[in-house]
Amino acid sequence: NERKCRVWRCEDEVGGVEMTESGAQLFARLEARRCLKDIEPALFPADGGPEHGEVVELHGTEGTGKTELLYHLLCRCVMPAAAGGLEVEVVFVDTDYSLDMMRLVSVLDSRLNAGTHRPAPSVLRSCLARLLVVHCSSCSQLLLTLHFLETSLSSRPSLALLLIDSISAFYWLDRCEGGASVTKQEEKLSKCADLLDSLRRDYRITVFATCHAIRRNYSGQSSSSSSEFDRPYLCRSWQRLVNHRLLCSREEGTSNMATAAEGSEEQRRRQVFTVHCTSSFSSKTKSHRSSSFYVTDGGVKLI
Amino acid sequence: MVVLREGMCPGLDADLVRDLRAADVKTVEDLVSSDTEDLAQKCSVSYRALFAIRRVLLAQHTAFPVSGADLYEELLSSTAILSTGNSSLDKLLDSGLYTGEITELSGGPGSGKSQVCFGVAVNISYHLKQSVIFIDTTGGLTARRLLQMLEAETSNREEQMEALQRIHIFRLFDVFSLLDCLYSLRTGMLQQASVGGGSVKAVIVDSVSAVIAPLLGGKQSEGMSLMTQVAGVLKTMAKDFNVAVLVTNHVTRSSSRVQPGLGVSWRHVPRTRILLERVEKAAAVSRSSMRSATLIKSSRQLCHKTEEFDLQRWCHSEGPSAKRKLEDMDS
């Protein structure tokens, strides 16, 4: 793959302007990227994990385990193959300024120590070195950053996952800035979605994004609290992009604020969260999978 | 959104800006997202020049990726934990307020939110010798109360005055002045405030809901947008300047469940949330200064842990008998 072959694409109207790509770049772009199909088989429908270039959305209100689930998946990606990880690089786009590095490290640490041998401290460092963090403070900056990341994507074949936490962070800002026209309100996110679409197609990168459930369903009749917020509300171009939708919810009854004091210690420890996955395939079929997990000091434990 | 102006980067002169504008490319985002070959032809500039401009503009306005390993190392060396001065709260918060994060106190009227804020401010300025920014949006802060709390700590007048000097108070009563204040703090007043001894380690907003709640409701999105802006500036301030942010919020009750106010969009803003409640006892309900604190959101500790404490005895005068675990009492 180090052959110095070059791919030339001549634009005859411009006359002599060449777009070049080295063979190594082409190879990185098309072949070497690892597939994340087996990132967490228990979450996705049988044999239906995220393929190359697929988009997964994690949707749920606060306190439904989205962040923990995200860290769980992130750890699986950056951990070395010897410890049961996928050993790929991850870009974490933090639009909420909510990345809790301490928590991530403690989850990572406990999973690395779960094996029989105690790994060297340098292993943790090398895991963290596989993670790239970008903070974005506006939708325009997100768009520019995604453009900028294109160069990283083309030069690093081991970069396999793009995480966006969260894609809904600028929703209200854009709604207000866009004035009365809905197209104007959704313009920026649509542009980001279109760009993501071309990135995942050209570089076959898998995208995971969280989406805070912040809008009620104005369906008229008041439904139960868990299904009250599950309707997608982001722009159409984003909705079209999503292949797998993971809807997180908290299992009611075990704990809420008012009855918290009465539950036994065991019950509180075992606050169970459920994830409902809906995968859509190109053949217009859909399949579902429900799974549950609880959270311990060492991260997510699937049941 | 960044509008293209001449001189933003080498090669971007007035003529080119005009040509780009004619081609409906007005902002950096437009330039970056449009097809460079196509645009070079439309504006009759060389592809190479336009490509260079695109690259420079992108580098100027993008957010740069940082390696997770570096971020972790930086965090380890810069994170501080500020004790609140109250051992019950410290226990819930895993030894205190963490810098770089937003901690929220939720509670109904009279649940002791403001008193806890005063106590935290006094403890940080007197015991930890650090500056505190106190943003008061309810008019509930009085110097007399702060002094009273300091008098409980020390009888030395000079030390009291020194501690008061380290608490910088801003009084404002609407969201625009709050944003104004936070933006100016972010662009340099934080450093200025620290001139009077000790760096600014904490920003307290009591209460954030008093200025935001009146804007919410209905189907208009302006209030939500302002709330997102307040959340954004607080979060970036906490991260970039490494300060602990403490905010207070009201509570709402829906179907007999107590929930923090400001709706679901605010819900995920604070990293840690404590619910303050009066301890209901049969006698002398209105007089009691006993409060219970419940941890309802945390990434470090098990949630729904409850501690009781006495508001009147904030700092060191508090004996171990004054607090006890609610669980012990129940069992």
Side-chain angles (χ1 to χ4, degrees), chain B residues 118 136 139-148 169 171:
Chain B
F118 300 160
D136 177 25
L141 176 81
T142 57
R144 191 189 299 275
R145 177 69 186 130
L146 290 180
L147 186 62
Q148 205 179 4
I169 293 158
R171 279 226 163 98

Side-chain angles (χ1 to χ4, degrees), chain B residues 46-175:
Chain B
S46 79
Y47 172 81
R48 202 177 289 269
L50 199 63
F51 188 77
I53 289 173
R54 180 184 186 273
R55 205 159 60 177
V56 172
L57 285 176
L58 200 51
Q60 275 174 356
H61 294 98
T62 187
F64 277 103
V66 188
S67 150
D70 296 343
L71 202 66
Y72 179 57
E73 227 124 87
E74 193 193 307
L75 208 63
L76 279 186
S77 63
S78 64
T79 303
I81 305 171
L82 309 172
S83 165
T84 58
N86 181 304
S87 51
S88 311
L89 285 180
D90 280 354
K91 211 180 282 174
L92 290 181
L93 293 170
D94 197 11
S95 66
L97 302 174
Y98 280 60
T99 59
E101 304 190 349
I102 301 180
T103 308
E104 182 178 281
L105 297 166
S106 309
S111 57
K113 302 183 297 287
S114 299
Q115 295 301 322
V116 171
C117 287
F118 300 160
V120 170
V122 163
N123 190 63
I124 293 171
S125 77
Y126 177 67
H127 285 285
L128 307 177
K129 307 268 184 273
Q130 305 290 341
S131 296
V132 180
I133 306 260
F134 199 110
I135 299 172
D136 177 25
T137 65
T138 58
L141 176 81
T142 57
R144 191 189 299 275
R145 177 69 186 130
L146 290 180
L147 186 62
Q148 205 179 4
M149 289 178 121
L150 277 166
E151 277 166 349
E153 299 289 325
T154 172
S155 52
N156 185 336
R157 202 73 183 164
E158 218 163 275
E159 280 182 11
Q160 289 169 5
M161 288 305 128
E162 243 174 61
L164 281 182
Q165 209 108 91
R166 276 192 288 266
I167 304 178
H168 303 266
I169 293 158
F170 294 88
R171 279 226 163 98
L172 27 95
F173 303 99
D174 63 86
V175 74

